[in-house]
Amino acid sequence: MRENTPKSSLLALGSAGVLVTATLIAGAVSAPMAGATSRPGPDREAKGAATAAARAARAGIHWQDCPADWGLAKPIQCGWVSVPLDYAHPYGKQIKLAVDRIGNTGTKKERQGALVYNPGGPGASGLRFPTRITGKNPVWANVAKAYDFVGFDPRGVGHSAPISCVDPQEFVKAPKADPVPDSTADKTAQRKLAREYAEGCGERSAAMLPHMTTPNTARDLDVIRAALGERKLNYLGVSYGTYLGAVYGTLFPGHLRRMVVDSVVDPARENIWYEANLKQDIAFEGRWKDWEDWVAANDAAFHLGTTRAAVQDKWLGLRATAKKSPLGGVVGPAELISFFQSAPYYDSAWVPVATAFSKYYAGDTQALIDAASPDLSDTAGNIASENGNAVYTAVECADAKWPTSWRKWDRDNTRLNQQYPFMTWANAWMNLPCATWPAKQHTPVEVKTHKGLPRVLIVQSTRDAATPYEGAVELHKRFKGSRLITERDAGSHGVTGLVNPCINERVDAYLIDGTLDGKDVTCTPHATPKP
């Protein structure tokens, strides 16, 4: 399940027709050769990555004002980095990756290089990262003094050789079928949609699909590092960006200077990606209940009931009404789940989701319809949403071999749905295209510590729905010398961007001074949203 964003959340879980983040250093800095940093033994991709990085170091990046329609105003600058489509053939077809940057806000002496960011997905663009400086985000003010903020569109995303699986306007049309099946016929219909979606990916993006893997994006990240003129990478990854960071740290341990990973994907091979999605279903149910408890505790504001059970009854009533007759003709159960899932994802969505929910029961149905329905006039947004979903599907399907037996999918999701009904079937249909994927499926990297890996900072909340807490514990075990900051009794996805001094000060200390606590740290939760 990829990150949810307002308005396009319907599309974030919509792949199968259901619903469901300076100054270039003068002179070329050559990349260390593959043998010093890559996995031992002959590895054509490692050699190809070293070749591409050396080429990028010589070429650098031609920075200029960003295209007007990118929405990135001066002083943010944009440029391109060329990478091989296939690292086994570094002199073969090249694709261009869009990158952007803003210089550090401190002095030349304070500058420590570039901090490169990936917000997750897979399928999310990182190009808005420099706006944390132009927008004067106080959480990042200290780090901004030391670093240029660099974002990029990963391969297949946005402006970087974008892929597509279906016409974007068709992709957003609503209402979609209720993801929770009532019959075998409902399941058969969803299976057909998933198969057709996979076929559409193959028809529209065939050349890219075999190469849409996390290891290739990690190699791209190393080429970007070289093009920036950086000998070693400073990296911030959130959600799927933590898995990208874990793979980068495994493949290029000697190229890493500092790395913060926030809201961590369990990197164990057996977890990528089928099991990861099953575990999400369980975690989402827990965080959904946390939100319902909060709504009940704030009944004076929302009038939806004073207990979790009462709020759940209201939810089930709304769902049943929309199933019988979609709200406004467009918002059925699929669209409702897609809108409401933002609450278990992000605390910032607690108030807006509860407000729309409350207004519905107070007689104002339009607020919920507006919030949960697609905007067919927003063609640019719909293109971006369809692309994000295509990349999500392509990367997860290509990274690992998925079960092809429908019996297994049906058994696992039927069982989970009994206890964890909020997201289970929606998530299953989103990922089912991987069962009939038309391109090669690879074996995940064995994430582990190799010589040269620096100490990594891991940040995680215990109630995270999208990346359950166990993922942070697993990466902590695999990366020797790492430190884990745990935000107790909290669950917003993406911790480092929230105001919590216990966390913010430690992230600053690590990125600015390279200092880590002598042992793992547990922090109290950030402030709960107020109605």
Side-chain angles (χ1 to χ4, degrees):
M1 182 186 309
R2 68 183 285 268
E3 271 73 284
N4 181 344
T5 53
K7 214 49 176 157
S8 65
S9 57
L10 159 70
L11 319 167
L13 292 166
S15 63
V18 295
L19 73 155
V20 175
T21 150
T23 305
L24 187 67
I25 294 174
V29 179
S30 61
M33 289 305 292
T37 56
S38 303
R39 290 170 291 171
D43 188 326
R44 290 177 67 192
E45 283 86 3
K47 292 176 182 175
T51 298
R55 188 165 57 209
R58 291 191 296 272
I61 301 172
H62 176 57
W63 294 110
Q64 52 197 325
D65 292 344
C66 300
D69 61 349
W70 289 19
L72 299 165
K74 294 180 186 179
I76 299 171
Q77 296 179 303
C78 291
W80 301 93
V81 175
S82 292
V83 299
L85 175 62
D86 180 356
Y87 278 94
H89 299 95
Y91 296 104
K93 179 175 173 55
Q94 307 291 303
I95 57 176
K96 287 188 174 182
L97 306 182
V99 295
D100 69 344
R101 70 161 182 187
I102 191 167
N104 72 304
T105 61
T107 64
K108 191 174 181 180
K109 187 176 180 182
E110 286 176 294
R111 184 178 179 274
Q112 297 188 40
L115 177 64
V116 183
Y117 173 68
N118 180 272
S125 168
L127 290 180
R128 294 204 58 78
F129 184 50
T131 66
R132 295 190 185 182
I133 292 181
T134 57
K136 302 189 186 308
N137 185 318
V139 171
W140 294 97
N142 293 327
V143 173
K145 291 178 183 177
Y147 292 95
D148 309 343
F149 278 22
V150 174
F152 71 105
D153 276 350
R155 58 172 53 207
V157 174
H159 306 292
S160 298
I163 68 168
S164 172
C165 292
V166 66
D167 176 78
Q169 292 299 99
E170 287 297 316
F171 181 71
V172 304
K173 279 187 179 174
K176 301 189 187 300
D178 185 348
V180 179
D182 291 325
S183 64
T184 300
D186 287 349
K187 294 178 181 178
T188 300
Q190 295 284 15
R191 291 174 65 192
K192 180 174 182 285
L193 289 169
R195 186 171 60 252
E196 289 172 350
Y197 185 85
E199 290 168 356
C201 296
E203 289 165 6
R204 295 168 74 100
S205 305
M208 291 283 288
L209 294 189
H211 311 292
M212 289 293 298
T213 65
T214 301
N216 275 339
T217 302
R219 296 175 185 114
D220 294 345
L221 190 55
D222 200 58
V223 176
I224 291 170
R225 169 201 60 77
L228 288 167
E230 301 283 335
R231 180 167 175 78
K232 295 197 174 187
L233 177 73
N234 304 292
Y235 178 75
L236 170 64
V238 181
S239 191
Y240 165 79
T242 68
Y243 184 59
L244 175 59
V247 171
Y248 183 90
T250 301
L251 298 181
F252 301 99
H255 293 194
L256 197 58
R257 179 175 178 263
R258 287 178 193 153
M259 180 161 75
V260 177
V261 284
D262 169 5
S263 303
V264 181
V265 171
D266 183 340
R269 271 181 167 172
E270 60 272 18
N271 190 60
I272 307 298
W273 285 103
Y274 180 78
E275 290 295 330
N277 281 283
L278 297 180
K279 290 173 184 174
Q280 273 189 338
D281 300 336
I282 298 170
F284 258 91
E285 196 72 29
R287 193 60 179 162
W288 172 249
K289 290 175 179 175
D290 290 349
W291 177 73
E292 289 184 319
D293 287 339
W294 174 85
V295 172
N298 288 282
D299 184 61
F302 301 120
H303 314 294
L304 291 164
T306 57
T307 64
R308 179 200 297 171
V311 177
Q312 177 71 0
D313 282 346
K314 286 282 202 304
W315 159 249
L316 294 176
L318 170 62
R319 198 186 186 292
T321 298
K323 185 179 178 75
K324 186 176 180 181
S325 180
L327 313 181
V330 289
V331 177
E335 291 71 35
L336 286 177
I337 296 171
S338 195
F339 170 63
F340 275 79
Q341 68 162 347
S342 58
Y345 254 114
Y346 305 113
D347 288 8
S348 60
W350 281 19
V351 172
V353 172
T355 300
F357 192 15
S358 175
K359 284 183 176 180
Y360 171 84
Y361 274 104
D364 175 7
T365 59
Q366 196 59 44
L368 182 55
I369 293 167
D370 290 344
S373 59
D375 179 359
L376 292 175
S377 69
D378 181 16
T379 52
N382 296 338
I383 288 169
S385 296
E386 190 279 325
N387 167 246
N389 198 85
V391 175
Y392 165 86
T393 310
V395 172
E396 294 212 355
C397 294
D399 265 356
K401 293 172 177 65
W402 285 70
T404 56
S405 162
W406 166 245
R407 179 179 286 182
K408 177 173 176 57
W409 287 77
D410 192 22
R411 182 181 66 241
D412 289 347
N413 288 283
T414 298
R415 173 180 54 82
L416 276 179
N417 185 65
Q418 292 172 356
Q419 281 186 273
Y420 313 103
F422 180 66
M423 285 304 311
T424 294
W425 278 113
N427 209 10
W429 304 129
M430 181 180 179
N431 292 286
L432 189 59
C434 294
T436 57
W437 196 239
K440 182 175 180 180
Q441 295 182 319
H442 300 259
T443 301
V445 167
E446 180 64 29
V447 169
K448 62 192 295 187
T449 300
H450 291 295
K451 184 178 178 182
L453 182 73
R455 300 177 74 196
V456 170
L457 180 60
I458 302 168
V459 188
Q460 178 81 30
S461 62
T462 57
R463 304 284 296 167
D464 192 314
T467 52
Y469 180 72
E470 293 72 24
V473 175
E474 183 65 26
L475 183 61
H476 188 27
K477 289 177 186 171
R478 288 169 180 261
F479 273 0
K480 292 178 183 174
S482 61
R483 279 286 172 265
L484 172 60
I485 301 175
T486 298
E487 189 183 26
R488 178 174 45 80
D489 299 330
S492 199
H493 189 58
V495 177
T496 52
L498 303 175
V499 176
N500 186 335
C502 176
I503 295 168
N504 306 144
E505 291 168 8
R506 287 176 165 85
V507 170
D508 284 357
Y510 172 69
L511 287 174
I512 296 167
D513 301 318
T515 57
L516 290 170
D517 288 276
K519 59 183 180 180
D520 294 339
V521 174
T522 299
C523 295
T524 55
H526 62 273
T528 304
K530 289 182 170 57

